[in-house]
Amino acid sequence: MARVKIKNALLSVARVWRQRAASGELSLETVVLYTQITERLLRFAEAQGVTYLDDVSPQLASYFIEAPGHDRHQGIILNPAAGTRRQRRSALESLFKEARALRITKAAPLVDLPPIPRDPRKQGTELTDTDVQLLRFHAERGMPATRHAALLALLLAGLHSAEIAATTTDDLDLTEAEVWTDGATRTPGRSCRLDEWGVRVLWLRRAHLLRGTKTGPPPRLVTAASSAYRSQASVCSGFGDIARLSGLATRERRIEPKDVTRYVARKVLYETGQLSEVARRLGLSSLDSAAALAAHRWNSEDEGDEMA
Protein backbone atom coordinates (compact mmCIF):
# COMPACT_ATOMS: atom_id res chain seq x y z
CA MET A 1 0.00 0.00 0.00
CA ALA A 2 1.51 3.33 -1.07
CA ARG A 3 1.99 5.89 1.68
CA VAL A 4 -0.40 8.83 1.37
CA LYS A 5 0.22 12.33 2.63
CA ILE A 6 -2.27 13.72 5.17
CA LYS A 7 -3.23 16.54 2.80
CA ASN A 8 -4.17 14.13 0.01
CA ALA A 9 -6.04 11.88 2.42
CA LEU A 10 -8.09 14.86 3.62
CA LEU A 11 -9.12 15.70 0.06
CA SER A 12 -10.25 12.12 -0.59
CA VAL A 13 -12.13 11.76 2.69
CA ALA A 14 -13.76 15.20 2.37
CA ARG A 15 -15.29 14.06 -0.92
CA VAL A 16 -16.77 11.03 0.87
CA TRP A 17 -18.18 13.27 3.62
CA ARG A 18 -19.82 15.53 1.03
CA GLN A 19 -21.35 12.48 -0.68
CA ARG A 20 -22.71 11.30 2.67
CA ALA A 21 -24.19 14.76 3.28
CA ALA A 22 -25.86 14.69 -0.14
CA SER A 23 -27.45 11.32 0.70
CA GLY A 24 -28.61 12.53 4.12
CA GLU A 25 -26.21 10.36 6.16
CA LEU A 26 -24.38 13.41 7.55
CA SER A 27 -25.50 16.97 8.08
CA LEU A 28 -23.73 19.70 6.14
CA GLU A 29 -22.78 21.30 9.47
CA THR A 30 -21.00 18.10 10.52
CA VAL A 31 -19.10 17.97 7.22
CA VAL A 32 -17.94 21.57 7.69
CA LEU A 33 -16.93 20.89 11.30
CA TYR A 34 -15.01 17.69 10.45
CA THR A 35 -13.25 19.43 7.57
CA GLN A 36 -12.16 22.32 9.76
CA ILE A 37 -10.88 20.00 12.48
CA THR A 38 -8.93 17.76 10.10
CA GLU A 39 -7.37 20.81 8.43
CA ARG A 40 -6.15 21.83 11.88
CA LEU A 41 -4.77 18.30 12.31
CA LEU A 42 -2.81 18.78 9.08
CA ARG A 43 -1.19 21.96 10.38
CA PHE A 44 -0.61 20.45 13.83
CA ALA A 45 1.03 17.33 12.37
CA GLU A 46 3.23 19.32 9.99
CA ALA A 47 4.45 21.38 12.96
CA GLN A 48 5.58 18.07 14.51
CA GLY A 49 7.30 17.03 11.28
CA VAL A 50 4.59 14.49 10.36
CA THR A 51 3.28 14.64 6.80
CA TYR A 52 2.05 11.09 6.08
CA LEU A 53 -1.22 9.69 7.37
CA ASP A 54 0.39 6.39 8.43
CA ASP A 55 2.72 8.35 10.74
CA VAL A 56 -0.08 9.88 12.85
CA SER A 57 0.58 8.00 16.09
CA PRO A 58 -1.76 7.54 19.07
CA GLN A 59 0.44 9.99 20.97
CA LEU A 60 0.18 12.68 18.27
CA ALA A 61 -3.60 12.15 18.00
CA SER A 62 -3.91 12.47 21.78
CA TYR A 63 -1.80 15.66 21.82
CA PHE A 64 -4.00 17.15 19.09
CA ILE A 65 -7.24 16.31 20.90
CA GLU A 66 -5.92 17.92 24.10
CA ALA A 67 -4.25 20.93 22.40
CA PRO A 68 -5.12 24.50 23.51
CA GLY A 69 -7.60 26.38 21.33
CA HIS A 70 -9.49 29.66 21.02
CA ASP A 71 -12.90 30.78 22.24
CA ARG A 72 -15.36 32.73 20.07
CA HIS A 73 -13.64 35.98 21.13
CA GLN A 74 -10.25 34.58 20.03
CA GLY A 75 -9.03 34.22 23.60
CA ILE A 76 -6.70 31.33 24.39
CA ILE A 77 -8.23 28.25 26.05
CA LEU A 78 -5.44 26.20 27.62
CA ASN A 79 -7.70 23.33 28.61
CA PRO A 80 -10.34 22.72 25.92
CA ALA A 81 -13.79 21.68 27.09
CA ALA A 82 -14.80 18.04 26.98
CA GLY A 83 -17.26 18.82 24.17
CA THR A 84 -14.46 20.33 22.06
CA ARG A 85 -12.24 17.32 22.67
CA ARG A 86 -15.07 14.94 21.73
CA GLN A 87 -15.62 16.86 18.47
CA ARG A 88 -11.91 16.57 17.61
CA ARG A 89 -11.88 12.88 18.42
CA SER A 90 -15.05 12.22 16.41
CA ALA A 91 -13.59 14.01 13.36
CA LEU A 92 -10.33 12.03 13.58
CA GLU A 93 -12.18 8.74 14.03
CA SER A 94 -14.24 9.48 10.92
CA LEU A 95 -11.13 10.52 8.99
CA PHE A 96 -9.30 7.26 9.67
CA LYS A 97 -12.42 5.11 9.26
CA GLU A 98 -13.08 6.54 5.79
CA ALA A 99 -9.38 6.43 4.88
CA ARG A 100 -9.24 2.74 5.77
CA ALA A 101 -12.37 2.11 3.69
CA LEU A 102 -10.65 3.87 0.77
CA ARG A 103 -7.60 1.62 1.32
CA ILE A 104 -5.21 4.52 1.73
CA THR A 105 -4.14 3.54 5.25
CA LYS A 106 -4.35 0.76 7.78
CA ALA A 107 -3.69 3.10 10.71
CA ALA A 108 -6.13 3.33 13.62
CA PRO A 109 -4.39 5.64 16.10
CA LEU A 110 -7.46 6.29 18.24
CA VAL A 111 -8.50 2.71 18.86
CA ASP A 112 -6.75 2.42 22.24
CA LEU A 113 -7.27 5.98 23.47
CA PRO A 114 -9.45 6.17 26.60
CA PRO A 115 -12.96 7.64 26.23
CA ILE A 116 -13.53 11.29 27.07
CA PRO A 117 -15.85 11.39 30.08
CA ARG A 118 -19.06 13.36 29.90
CA ASP A 119 -20.11 15.73 32.66
CA PRO A 120 -23.45 14.83 34.23
CA ARG A 121 -26.17 16.50 32.18
CA LYS A 122 -28.14 19.18 33.92
CA GLN A 123 -31.84 18.57 34.09
CA GLY A 124 -33.78 19.98 31.16
CA THR A 125 -36.44 22.59 31.66
CA GLU A 126 -40.12 22.72 30.75
CA LEU A 127 -40.58 26.42 30.16
CA THR A 128 -43.72 28.17 31.37
CA ASP A 129 -45.39 31.29 30.00
CA THR A 130 -43.75 33.23 32.84
CA ASP A 131 -40.31 31.88 31.89
CA VAL A 132 -40.81 32.92 28.27
CA GLN A 133 -41.92 36.39 29.31
CA LEU A 134 -38.71 36.64 31.35
CA LEU A 135 -36.66 35.58 28.33
CA ARG A 136 -38.42 38.19 26.19
CA PHE A 137 -37.79 40.95 28.74
CA HIS A 138 -34.05 40.28 28.99
CA ALA A 139 -33.66 39.66 25.25
CA GLU A 140 -34.70 43.27 24.65
CA ARG A 141 -31.58 44.64 26.35
CA GLY A 142 -29.69 46.83 23.88
CA MET A 143 -32.10 46.23 21.00
CA PRO A 144 -32.20 46.77 18.09
CA ALA A 145 -28.40 46.92 17.98
CA THR A 146 -28.23 43.57 19.75
CA ARG A 147 -29.45 40.38 18.11
CA HIS A 148 -31.00 38.67 21.13
CA ALA A 149 -34.62 39.75 20.68
CA ALA A 150 -34.60 38.80 16.98
CA LEU A 151 -33.10 35.42 17.82
CA LEU A 152 -35.74 34.67 20.44
CA ALA A 153 -38.58 35.90 18.18
CA LEU A 154 -37.52 33.48 15.42
CA LEU A 155 -37.16 30.64 17.90
CA LEU A 156 -40.66 31.28 19.21
CA ALA A 157 -41.95 31.28 15.63
CA GLY A 158 -40.80 27.67 15.28
CA LEU A 159 -37.46 28.03 13.51
CA HIS A 160 -34.51 25.86 14.51
CA SER A 161 -30.97 27.14 15.12
CA ALA A 162 -29.64 26.41 11.60
CA GLU A 163 -32.73 28.08 10.09
CA ILE A 164 -32.38 31.12 12.34
CA ALA A 165 -28.74 31.48 11.33
CA ALA A 166 -29.74 31.75 7.66
CA THR A 167 -32.75 34.09 8.04
CA THR A 168 -32.41 37.49 6.36
CA THR A 169 -34.39 40.70 6.35
CA ASP A 170 -35.98 39.59 3.05
CA ASP A 171 -37.52 36.56 4.74
CA LEU A 172 -39.80 38.72 6.87
CA ASP A 173 -43.37 39.63 5.98
CA LEU A 174 -44.20 41.67 9.04
CA THR A 175 -47.45 43.02 7.59
CA GLU A 176 -48.75 39.43 7.56
CA ALA A 177 -46.84 38.56 10.76
CA GLU A 178 -44.91 35.77 9.02
CA VAL A 179 -41.32 34.66 8.48
CA TRP A 180 -40.17 32.35 5.72
CA THR A 181 -37.41 29.78 6.21
CA ASP A 182 -35.79 27.71 3.47
CA GLY A 183 -35.42 24.90 5.99
CA ALA A 184 -32.25 23.02 6.86
CA THR A 185 -30.74 19.55 6.44
CA ARG A 186 -33.69 17.78 8.04
CA THR A 187 -36.46 20.39 7.85
CA PRO A 188 -38.39 21.68 4.81
CA GLY A 189 -39.01 25.26 3.77
CA ARG A 190 -42.14 26.75 5.32
CA SER A 191 -43.84 29.90 6.55
CA CYS A 192 -44.15 30.44 10.31
CA ARG A 193 -46.40 32.80 12.23
CA LEU A 194 -44.91 35.53 14.39
CA ASP A 195 -46.54 36.65 17.61
CA GLU A 196 -47.15 40.32 18.35
CA TRP A 197 -43.92 40.68 20.31
CA GLY A 198 -41.96 39.01 17.52
CA VAL A 199 -43.35 41.38 14.91
CA ARG A 200 -42.41 44.40 17.01
CA VAL A 201 -38.82 43.42 17.77
CA LEU A 202 -38.14 42.15 14.24
CA TRP A 203 -39.49 45.36 12.77
CA LEU A 204 -36.98 47.31 14.86
CA ARG A 205 -34.15 44.89 14.08
CA ARG A 206 -34.81 44.99 10.33
CA ALA A 207 -34.92 48.80 10.31
CA HIS A 208 -31.63 48.92 12.22
CA LEU A 209 -29.86 46.52 9.84
CA LEU A 210 -31.16 48.23 6.70
CA ARG A 211 -30.36 51.74 7.86
CA GLY A 212 -27.91 53.15 5.34
CA THR A 213 -27.83 49.88 3.34
CA LYS A 214 -28.47 50.46 -0.37
CA THR A 215 -26.73 47.59 -2.16
CA GLY A 216 -25.59 44.06 -1.53
CA PRO A 217 -27.37 40.95 -0.29
CA PRO A 218 -30.01 41.29 2.44
CA PRO A 219 -28.36 41.14 5.87
CA ARG A 220 -28.92 38.17 8.11
CA LEU A 221 -30.93 38.98 11.22
CA VAL A 222 -28.91 37.18 13.89
CA THR A 223 -25.37 36.25 12.84
CA ALA A 224 -22.78 37.23 10.26
CA ALA A 225 -20.57 34.17 10.84
CA SER A 226 -19.13 32.83 7.59
CA SER A 227 -19.62 29.06 7.84
CA ALA A 228 -22.83 27.12 8.47
CA TYR A 229 -21.32 25.50 11.57
CA ARG A 230 -20.12 28.79 13.06
CA SER A 231 -23.45 30.44 12.27
CA GLN A 232 -25.41 27.73 14.08
CA ALA A 233 -22.97 27.81 17.01
CA SER A 234 -23.39 31.59 17.15
CA VAL A 235 -27.16 31.22 17.45
CA CYS A 236 -26.78 28.73 20.30
CA SER A 237 -24.29 30.93 22.14
CA GLY A 238 -26.59 33.92 21.69
CA PHE A 239 -29.47 32.02 23.23
CA GLY A 240 -27.18 31.02 26.08
CA ASP A 241 -26.57 34.71 26.72
CA ILE A 242 -30.32 35.35 26.94
CA ALA A 243 -30.84 32.39 29.28
CA ARG A 244 -28.08 33.58 31.61
CA LEU A 245 -29.24 37.22 31.57
CA SER A 246 -32.75 36.09 32.50
CA GLY A 247 -31.44 34.06 35.44
CA LEU A 248 -33.12 30.91 34.12
CA ALA A 249 -29.84 29.19 33.25
CA THR A 250 -27.82 28.36 36.36
CA ARG A 251 -25.26 25.78 37.42
CA GLU A 252 -28.13 23.53 38.41
CA ARG A 253 -30.55 24.32 35.58
CA ARG A 254 -29.89 23.88 31.86
CA ILE A 255 -31.75 25.98 29.29
CA GLU A 256 -31.22 25.38 25.57
CA PRO A 257 -32.95 26.41 22.32
CA LYS A 258 -34.77 23.08 22.15
CA ASP A 259 -36.57 23.94 25.40
CA VAL A 260 -38.16 26.86 23.55
CA THR A 261 -39.01 24.55 20.63
CA ARG A 262 -40.75 22.20 23.08
CA TYR A 263 -42.65 25.17 24.51
CA VAL A 264 -43.78 26.16 20.99
CA ALA A 265 -44.84 22.55 20.27
CA ARG A 266 -46.99 22.39 23.41
CA LYS A 267 -48.50 25.80 22.68
CA VAL A 268 -49.37 24.96 19.06
CA LEU A 269 -50.92 21.64 20.12
CA TYR A 270 -52.98 23.38 22.82
CA GLU A 271 -54.19 26.08 20.42
CA THR A 272 -54.96 23.84 17.42
CA GLY A 273 -55.40 20.34 18.85
CA GLN A 274 -53.49 19.08 15.79
CA LEU A 275 -50.19 17.20 15.93
CA SER A 276 -50.03 17.70 12.17
CA GLU A 277 -49.91 21.47 12.73
CA VAL A 278 -47.11 21.03 15.29
CA ALA A 279 -45.18 19.03 12.69
CA ARG A 280 -45.83 21.62 9.96
CA ARG A 281 -44.90 24.59 12.13
CA LEU A 282 -41.63 23.01 13.29
CA GLY A 283 -40.75 21.35 10.00
CA LEU A 284 -40.91 17.83 11.42
CA SER A 285 -41.15 14.77 9.19
CA SER A 286 -43.28 12.63 11.52
CA LEU A 287 -46.15 12.97 13.97
CA ASP A 288 -44.14 10.88 16.44
CA SER A 289 -41.50 13.62 16.56
CA ALA A 290 -44.21 16.25 17.00
CA ALA A 291 -45.81 14.29 19.83
CA ALA A 292 -42.44 13.83 21.57
CA LEU A 293 -41.69 17.56 21.46
CA ALA A 294 -45.18 18.44 22.67
CA ALA A 295 -44.94 15.83 25.46
CA HIS A 296 -48.13 14.25 24.11
CA ARG A 297 -49.00 10.57 24.14
CA TRP A 298 -50.87 9.51 21.05
CA ASN A 299 -51.63 6.78 18.55
CA SER A 300 -52.87 6.87 14.97
CA GLU A 301 -56.53 6.66 16.03
CA ASP A 302 -56.04 9.66 18.33
CA GLU A 303 -54.66 11.74 15.46
CA GLY A 304 -57.50 10.64 13.23
CA ASP A 305 -59.98 11.89 15.83
CA GLU A 306 -58.10 15.17 16.16
CA MET A 307 -58.07 15.73 12.41
CA ALA A 308 -61.74 14.93 11.92
Side-chain angles (χ1 to χ4, degrees):
M1 180 183 293
R3 284 161 57 82
V4 176
K5 288 192 173 182
I6 299 173
K7 181 178 181 180
N8 295 332
L10 296 188
L11 293 173
S12 297
V13 171
R15 282 194 291 271
V16 174
W17 285 337
R18 289 194 293 271
Q19 290 168 0
R20 294 193 183 281
S23 64
E25 297 177 56
L26 284 177
S27 71
L28 183 59
E29 292 79 14
T30 297
V31 173
V32 172
L33 174 63
Y34 280 7
T35 302
Q36 291 174 340
I37 290 174
T38 51
E39 286 174 347
R40 293 185 196 121
L41 171 69
L42 171 63
R43 296 191 293 271
F44 184 86
E46 287 179 341
Q48 314 302 315
V50 175
T51 57
Y52 287 92
L53 192 65
D54 288 345
D55 294 335
V56 176
S57 65
Q59 185 179 43
L60 188 146
S62 179
Y63 285 163
F64 173 74
I65 291 169
E66 301 290 336
H70 295 86
D71 61 20
R72 61 192 175 100
H73 302 296
Q74 295 305 305
I76 298 294
I77 300 176
L78 294 178
N79 299 303
T84 299
R85 289 183 283 128
R86 278 193 293 273
Q87 286 178 345
R88 293 174 180 174
R89 177 169 180 150
S90 178
L92 265 60
E93 286 176 336
S94 182
L95 168 67
F96 280 94
K97 176 184 176 182
E98 300 295 354
R100 290 193 298 271
L102 292 170
R103 300 182 182 278
I104 57 180
T105 189
K106 292 183 179 179
L110 291 90
V111 68
D112 292 325
L113 294 185
I116 300 171
R118 290 182 178 272
D119 295 331
R121 287 182 64 84
K122 296 177 183 177
Q123 185 177 0
T125 300
E126 184 171 304
L127 296 175
T128 65
D129 289 342
T130 301
D131 292 331
V132 171
Q133 282 297 100
L134 196 59
L135 289 171
R136 285 189 178 114
F137 176 79
H138 288 280
E140 290 192 48
R141 291 189 187 185
M143 66 172 293
T146 58
R147 61 185 179 150
H148 291 159
L151 190 164
L152 183 59
L154 296 174
L155 198 55
L156 287 167
L159 276 66
H160 303 279
S161 55
E163 297 170 337
I164 292 172
T167 305
T168 73
T169 53
D170 278 4
D171 295 321
L172 299 175
D173 184 348
L174 298 180
T175 303
E176 297 296 328
E178 292 180 343
V179 57
W180 171 260
T181 173
D182 289 329
T185 304
R186 295 182 177 87
T187 54
R190 63 197 183 282
S191 180
C192 296
R193 296 290 300 172
L194 295 163
D195 60 24
E196 184 178 349
W197 179 83
V199 170
R200 178 173 63 82
V201 298
L202 287 169
W203 201 296
L204 292 171
R205 178 66 173 167
R206 183 177 65 178
H208 171 77
L209 292 173
L210 294 179
R211 189 175 298 125
T213 300
K214 296 181 180 179
T215 60
R220 285 185 286 171
L221 290 164
V222 170
T223 177
S226 56
S227 71
Y229 172 75
R230 289 184 180 276
S231 295
Q232 191 170 357
S234 175
V235 171
C236 293
S237 67
F239 179 78
D241 292 340
I242 302 170
R244 284 188 294 274
L245 286 170
S246 69
L248 293 176
T250 66
R251 294 191 177 188
E252 294 75 32
R253 190 187 194 196
R254 174 173 56 90
I255 304 288
E256 58 186 10
K258 199 164 188 177
D259 291 318
V260 178
T261 303
R262 293 187 184 100
Y263 170 84
V264 173
R266 294 194 303 272
K267 191 174 181 66
V268 172
L269 181 60
Y270 175 78
E271 292 175 348
T272 67
Q274 299 281 338
L275 280 174
S276 55
E277 180 58 21
V278 176
R280 189 210 65 78
R281 174 80 168 265
L282 299 177
L284 304 175
S285 59
S286 76
L287 297 181
D288 286 330
S289 298
L293 280 177
H296 176 70
R297 293 185 179 181
W298 78 293
N299 56 43
S300 57
E301 286 109 8
D302 291 338
E303 179 63 8
D305 291 341
E306 290 178 51
M307 296 176 66

